[in-house]
Amino acid sequence: MLGLMQEWPLLCHKLIDNAERQHGGREIVSRSIEGPIVRTTYADIHRRARQVAQRLEQDGFGLGDRIATLAWNTARHIEAWYGIMGIGAIYHTLNPRLFPEQIAWIMSNAGDKGIFVDLTFVPLLEKIAGSVPSLRKVIVLTDQAHMPRTTLPGAVAYEEWLAEADGAFAWRTFDENTAAGMCYTSGTTGDPKGVLYSHRSNVLHAMIAAMPDAMGISARDVVLPVVPMFHANAWGLAQSTPMVGAKLVMPGCKMDGASIYELLDSEKVTFSAAVPTVWMMLLQYLEETGNMLPNLRKVVIGGAACPRAVISKYQDKYGVEVVHAWGMTEMSPLGTLCTMKPQYETLEGEARLDAQCKQGYAPFGVEMKVTDDDDKALPWDGHTFGRLKVRGPAVARAYYGGAGAEQFDAEGWFDTGDVAHIDAGGYMQITDRAKDVIKSGGEWISTIDLENLAVGHPDVAEAAAIGVQHSKWGERPLLVVVRKPGKEPSRDEILDFMRGKVAKWWMPDDVAFVAEIPHTATGKIQKTTLRQQFRDYRLPTD
Amino acid sequence: MLGLMQEWPLLCHKLIDNAERQHGGREIVSRSIEGPIVRTTYADIHRRARQVAQRLEQDGFGLGDRIATLAWNTARHIEAWYGIMGIGAIYHTLNPRLFPEQIAWIMSNAGDKGIFVDLTFVPLLEKIAGSVPSLRKVIVLTDQAHMPRTTLPGAVAYEEWLAEADGAFAWRTFDENTAAGMCYTSGTTGDPKGVLYSHRSNVLHAMIAAMPDAMGISARDVVLPVVPMFHANAWGLAQSTPMVGAKLVMPGCKMDGASIYELLDSEKVTFSAAVPTVWMMLLQYLEETGNMLPNLRKVVIGGAACPRAVISKYQDKYGVEVVHAWGMTEMSPLGTLCTMKPQYETLEGEARLDAQCKQGYAPFGVEMKVTDDDDKALPWDGHTFGRLKVRGPAVARAYYGGAGAEQFDAEGWFDTGDVAHIDAGGYMQITDRAKDVIKSGGEWISTIDLENLAVGHPDVAEAAAIGVQHSKWGERPLLVVVRKPGKEPSRDEILDFMRGKVAKWWMPDDVAFVAEIPHTATGKIQKTTLRQQFRDYRLPTD
């Protein structure tokens, strides 16, 4: 027997309809790409998003069309998203930090037919537009007065293009499982893979994200999403902020400490979210200027593990609650948030920081487990680690075009590629990437733990642990070390320093000293290169 | 094009699965019907709910079966709900405050096959069981030691019945639109009508209810739902509390001031919800004993308009935030909550109370409008009132068996039967019931406004405004007044007192003095009886 409740499909335009109806006068403040701070409201955005939708239909776009955005966080970018979704087309966010040929590959793979592009990225798009055969419309997010000379064929200025629609438009309706958005993962190996969000997954994710124990944002908040809309849906903030009617502050293209501080201060921002780098830049600015953060209530930090000192400084000196979080593009992106359960709430000082350095627990709507190589679930004991697998209504079940099928199993679990443990309280901590973990005699050794331990030695500048072939154990750990300038710690000094602090069988079989460890563009250790470099290394134990 | 996100149906058992996985050790404290305070946990409830499910299947129950509950708020009642839902059967809450023959009619109409009944209600069930032909299983929510002598055929004690299932059971899965729960509205006219909740509507409602601007409950809260589970789903708290992992305190059958205070104090309750009567009884107890409420953070008051003095006393003297709310059984039940938008947040004193006396605004997931007799939407200006209509994923689209079809329109709007206005900020205030409003020359007059005004006269004990036939205007207002003992205010004194405080054409055409105004069992004025009584009244203006 079915229930007798209303059919009310979870469609994204209902988020912005609600913002207009209940919070129409609430401001959206953007640092525009042209320079000045621009103020608009949810009522304005709602009206203009319907104009975008209507105008796109006039240009022949419709259900299922992929329309790219190559843009910073601004009100216009939000309007574009809702306008695109409102006709059943798909916003496809492009990450401008990728190489131009990667962006061209992604656009071609997605079959993007149109693009909304910020002034900043017109030169970038000029380089690649010719290699995207599907592209037939370029809309530059500015007005005619600021329109640059461009080689892009038929490029139009957003404001004048928009003015050709009168806004007499009703959102199209369709199944809630219709695709709404698209974002490619920047895989460290292989081609990027497309994640295809649905209206239903976006709306449920917005609700999950706004919950008191997740981001916990309310109509009284002023939200500054520093995390870009092209980075995993701006962690859902472009949806959950309108949903609750909070004031929205958009940083445009300036994310340095001074610019972020200016917005935090002038707009009385109460909530923000960004990667650790942003918070470190802001911290440096605050220390230099002596400025404080009287309005800022809470920040969510994710995208990479947040250094303990950053968490502690924001909380102790600036009175800002820090919520460490973890997610993935494939998860819309929220996975876990380190808000406090009652048993952690009472912790103080270092014990509290220990808890906060974990990535947190999964809210309702995210299921997780850690498994061994045989896909057997491992205990939640805070130390047994395995592959982290997740499930939920805002988690991908496949990549666009069927790529990466091996990451999804029959029961619906998605293999994150991360290695983690979960404690008895449900708090998860990432310990490694699955491809980096060292497998010694069938047991796993976490390279991150070994590295964190090694850099505790006063003479070690940087350390990387990698697995090296071993005839008996399969693999054994080799520690690669960069010494601090003028220091000469020996192999045995470093190993002695580590001994007793990890299980005996985790101890590196050898230490190799190098002048430099290779890094990716985002500052992560390039383990693949390092493993290649030490491919023929002969361990003394072998 | 469809999105590529996981199919993860919104099923109620996922709420309790999440509670077990993430908050397994969190307590549920119940005042048991046998007497003592009983402690259990989400892990226990999860295990026992699966036993209920398994044991029900052993008894031949399955998908679509209606299984009644006639019980107070206790952990066992929660287990029964989740066990029933876990096999795709339907929990059907019965309101023990109805007349026995009404309960029998409702059970027969629903076709209830089984019932979980509290010790308190065994005598009541004995009276009616014989007139419910579908009923074939009675489970008394107690153990063998407390089992009463009963004439109920084959009645079993819950604990011993449950012990016959080993708990090796996996939740059944089915479409998320499958019926999960049932509750009949106690209509003031006509037969009660059944509302049939689905798994999807229950889960979405739990999410809507927990949001920061709705109830705003977190894992750190201790929640005491005084509002009974048989009263419109306990306002969703039986679902949203496990969802967030808050500690749950269940009051059993004792809802007097002393008993409620005892639980608030001993369990350090931070959040509670109940009808105004409960808060008035508690207030009286606090005033008598001098006790305070140091842990209680917030209360939600709904079910009837909350007196201004009650809101003010809880906030000013006891430091408890009061959230006025409105809902209906047909809405799962949440409709509006009077949490503060930023423009209201800064109000103080009487201006803040003015705002808080409104029923509040609709969260995302509830749409509302007020319409005139031609179904034209009226402006949100804070005074133009009309029929209140609502729409949303947790709002009914029909009653069980097709009763009351005239309350639902083709666009999915449900006519609440209430008359209300909505202000520019989105805050709704109920001004009347549609059947009570006075229609004078095509315009509407709110009887509640006239009554509130009239009782402001120092010599008036109670007042009721009703429409009386008028040859020119159709209807005109008659004010029916009960004088205070020993006072003799005249017709003209009362009208003079009211003049200038309402629109001239709202002024009653006459005043009739009576010794007593008829009331319903729940204390509301019986307008139907009163209109009958004054059916032939001749107004002096006619």
Side-chain angles (χ1 to χ4, degrees), chain B residues 231-538:
Chain B
H231 181 187
N233 265 331
W235 302 353
L237 287 169
Q239 278 112 10
S240 42
T241 314
M243 185 184 75
V244 304
K247 174 173 161 180
L248 192 53
V249 182
M250 301 295 257
C253 57
K254 294 197 177 167
M255 273 158 289
D256 59 286
S259 300
I260 294 299
Y261 175 79
E262 185 194 352
L263 289 176
L264 290 173
D265 181 55
S266 65
E267 302 305 324
K268 298 190 165 38
V269 170
T270 61
F271 177 95
S272 186
V275 295
T277 320
V278 167
W279 299 114
M280 290 190 272
M281 288 193 300
L282 177 64
L283 208 50
Q284 195 181 339
Y285 176 82
L286 293 172
E287 305 279 284
E288 284 165 14
T289 57
N291 285 322
M292 297 300 284
L293 300 168
N295 301 300
L296 193 61
R297 180 173 69 75
K298 179 152 67 172
V299 295
V300 172
I301 306 188
C306 184
R308 188 180 182 97
V310 172
I311 300 180
S312 129
K313 187 72 99 173
Y314 273 101
Q315 292 187 153
D316 298 344
K317 179 157 179 190
Y318 297 98
V320 178
E321 182 190 349
V322 173
V323 176
H324 201 189
W326 167 84
M328 296 181 79
T329 302
E330 291 87 338
M331 301 181 74
S332 300
L334 288 185
T336 59
L337 295 112
C338 200
T339 53
M340 299 285 103
K341 291 186 187 179
Q343 66 267 40
Y344 285 89
E345 180 64 5
T346 49
L347 295 177
E348 288 179 6
E350 296 302 313
R352 190 179 177 91
L353 277 175
D354 285 347
Q356 292 194 293
C357 282
K358 300 191 174 193
Q359 273 80 13
Y361 73 97
F364 175 75
V366 178
E367 297 177 52
M368 59 179 185
K369 64 176 180 181
V370 284
T371 63
D372 64 14
D373 276 339
D374 301 325
D375 198 33
K376 196 167 68 70
L378 296 170
W380 290 20
D381 59 11
H383 59 86
T384 306
F385 58 88
R387 281 178 171 273
L388 180 63
K389 297 183 179 179
V390 293
R391 205 160 61 171
V395 178
R397 68 175 156 84
Y399 291 111
Y400 186 62
E406 68 285 356
Q407 281 183 258
F408 305 92
D409 75 16
E411 286 181 309
W413 293 95
F414 166 68
D415 187 336
T416 63
D418 278 322
V419 169
H421 56 67
I422 305 175
D423 70 17
Y427 285 69
M428 185 273 289
Q429 185 157 25
I430 303 283
T431 61
D432 223 330
R433 286 294 294 170
K435 61 185 169 43
D436 294 336
V437 82
I438 299 167
K439 297 184 181 180
S440 169
E443 301 285 342
W444 291 13
I445 298 171
S446 158
T447 61
I448 294 178
D449 281 4
L450 292 179
E451 290 157 8
N452 286 344
L453 185 54
V455 295
H457 188 288
D459 298 341
V460 170
E462 191 173 16
I466 55 169
V468 171
Q469 277 197 343
H470 190 285
S471 55
K472 181 174 176 191
W473 300 107
E475 275 185 352
R476 286 296 301 157
L478 168 69
L479 190 70
V480 183
V481 165
V482 180
R483 295 185 178 106
K484 282 196 179 160
K487 302 291 180 181
E488 292 288 338
S490 71
R491 171 189 184 280
D492 290 345
E493 278 169 25
I494 292 172
L495 293 177
D496 285 348
F497 172 81
M498 294 173 72
R499 214 177 310 277
K501 295 173 185 146
V502 285
K504 207 172 163 189
W505 62 274
W506 278 39
M507 284 291 292
D509 279 18
D510 205 4
V511 178
F513 295 98
V514 294
E516 202 181 356
I517 285 176
H519 291 93
T520 65
T522 57
K524 291 176 188 170
I525 295 175
Q526 254 175 350
K527 294 258 172 109
T528 323
T529 311
L530 212 55
R531 279 192 294 265
Q532 187 63 23
Q533 195 176 324
F534 286 91
R535 194 182 42 185
D536 301 322
Y537 193 85
R538 183 70 181 274

Side-chain angles (χ1 to χ4, degrees), chain B residues 94-318:
Chain B
L94 299 170
N95 184 344
R97 290 167 186 156
L98 299 178
F99 294 113
E101 50 275 28
Q102 274 184 303
I103 302 176
W105 185 93
I106 288 172
M107 291 185 73
S108 298
N109 189 258
D112 294 334
K113 286 190 185 171
I115 188 168
F116 290 87
V117 60
D118 263 342
L119 282 171
T120 332
F121 304 123
V122 168
L124 170 61
L125 187 60
E126 285 172 341
K127 281 188 211 154
I128 60 177
S131 25
V132 183
S134 53
L135 190 65
R136 60 175 176 80
K137 184 83 189 182
V138 174
I139 301 142
V140 183
L141 289 163
T142 189
D143 55 21
Q144 199 56 50
H146 292 87
M147 196 62 182
R149 283 175 190 275
T150 172
T151 61
L152 291 165
V156 295
Y158 176 73
E159 291 296 338
E160 282 70 18
W161 172 81
L162 197 65
E164 289 162 19
D166 61 11
F169 179 85
W171 303 118
R172 301 306 169 207
T173 55
F174 28 76
D175 187 282
E176 67 183 22
N177 292 302
T178 301
M182 192 176 211
C183 187
Y184 277 67
T185 59
S186 48
T188 46
T189 54
D191 286 326
K193 295 187 282 285
V195 177
L196 204 55
Y197 307 113
S198 69
H199 281 261
R200 174 183 165 107
S201 70
N202 272 355
V203 171
L204 288 175
H205 184 272
M207 295 177 81
I208 292 167
M211 287 284 165
D213 291 315
M215 298 210 180
I217 54 174
S218 87
R220 294 171 300 287
D221 273 311
V222 180
V223 175
L224 170 66
V226 183
V227 52
M229 291 166 71
F230 58 74
H231 181 187
N233 265 331
W235 302 353
L237 287 169
Q239 278 112 10
S240 42
T241 314
M243 185 184 75
V244 304
K247 174 173 161 180
L248 192 53
V249 182
M250 301 295 257
C253 57
K254 294 197 177 167
M255 273 158 289
D256 59 286
S259 300
I260 294 299
Y261 175 79
E262 185 194 352
L263 289 176
L264 290 173
D265 181 55
S266 65
E267 302 305 324
K268 298 190 165 38
V269 170
T270 61
F271 177 95
S272 186
V275 295
T277 320
V278 167
W279 299 114
M280 290 190 272
M281 288 193 300
L282 177 64
L283 208 50
Q284 195 181 339
Y285 176 82
L286 293 172
E287 305 279 284
E288 284 165 14
T289 57
N291 285 322
M292 297 300 284
L293 300 168
N295 301 300
L296 193 61
R297 180 173 69 75
K298 179 152 67 172
V299 295
V300 172
I301 306 188
C306 184
R308 188 180 182 97
V310 172
I311 300 180
S312 129
K313 187 72 99 173
Y314 273 101
Q315 292 187 153
D316 298 344
K317 179 157 179 190
Y318 297 98

Side-chain angles (χ1 to χ4, degrees), chain B residues 14-33:
Chain B
K14 291 184 178 172
L15 299 167
I16 199 86
D17 281 350
N18 186 64
E20 186 270 337
R21 199 168 46 234
Q22 287 290 350
H23 313 278
R26 197 77 162 130
E27 276 187 322
I28 294 96
V29 181
S30 306
R31 188 187 295 281
S32 67
I33 308 305

Side-chain angles (χ1 to χ4, degrees), chain A residues 170-402:
Chain A
W171 303 119
R172 302 305 170 207
T173 55
F174 27 76
D175 187 282
E176 67 183 24
N177 291 302
T178 301
M182 193 176 209
C183 187
Y184 277 68
T185 58
S186 48
T188 44
T189 54
D191 286 326
K193 295 186 283 281
V195 178
L196 204 56
Y197 307 113
S198 69
H199 282 260
R200 175 183 165 105
S201 71
N202 272 356
V203 172
L204 288 175
H205 185 270
M207 296 177 79
I208 293 168
M211 286 284 165
D213 291 316
M215 298 211 182
I217 54 174
S218 88
R220 294 172 300 286
D221 273 311
V222 179
V223 175
L224 170 66
V226 183
V227 51
M229 290 166 70
F230 59 74
H231 180 186
N233 265 331
W235 300 353
L237 287 170
Q239 279 114 7
S240 42
T241 313
M243 184 184 76
V244 304
K247 174 174 161 180
L248 192 53
V249 181
M250 300 296 259
C253 57
K254 294 199 175 166
M255 274 158 291
D256 59 288
S259 300
I260 293 300
Y261 175 79
E262 186 193 353
L263 290 176
L264 291 174
D265 182 52
S266 65
E267 303 304 325
K268 297 192 165 34
V269 170
T270 61
F271 177 94
S272 186
V275 295
T277 319
V278 167
W279 299 114
M280 289 191 271
M281 288 193 300
L282 177 65
L283 208 51
Q284 195 181 338
Y285 175 82
L286 293 172
E287 306 278 287
E288 283 165 14
T289 57
N291 286 321
M292 298 299 283
L293 300 168
N295 300 300
L296 193 61
R297 181 173 69 75
K298 179 154 69 173
V299 295
V300 171
I301 306 188
C306 184
R308 188 181 183 97
V310 173
I311 300 179
S312 129
K313 187 72 98 173
Y314 273 100
Q315 294 188 152
D316 297 345
K317 179 157 179 192
Y318 297 98
V320 177
E321 183 192 347
V322 173
V323 176
H324 201 188
W326 167 84
M328 294 182 80
T329 301
E330 291 88 338
M331 300 181 76
S332 301
L334 288 184
T336 59
L337 296 112
C338 200
T339 53
M340 300 284 102
K341 292 187 186 179
Q343 65 267 38
Y344 284 88
E345 180 64 5
T346 49
L347 295 176
E348 287 177 7
E350 295 303 312
R352 190 178 176 92
L353 278 174
D354 285 345
Q356 292 194 295
C357 283
K358 299 191 175 192
Q359 273 80 13
Y361 74 97
F364 174 74
V366 178
E367 298 177 51
M368 60 180 185
K369 63 178 181 181
V370 284
T371 63
D372 64 15
D373 277 337
D374 301 325
D375 199 32
K376 196 166 66 71
L378 296 169
W380 290 20
D381 58 11
H383 60 85
T384 306
F385 57 88
R387 282 177 170 273
L388 179 63
K389 298 184 178 179
V390 294
R391 204 159 64 169
V395 178
R397 69 175 155 84
Y399 290 111
Y400 186 63

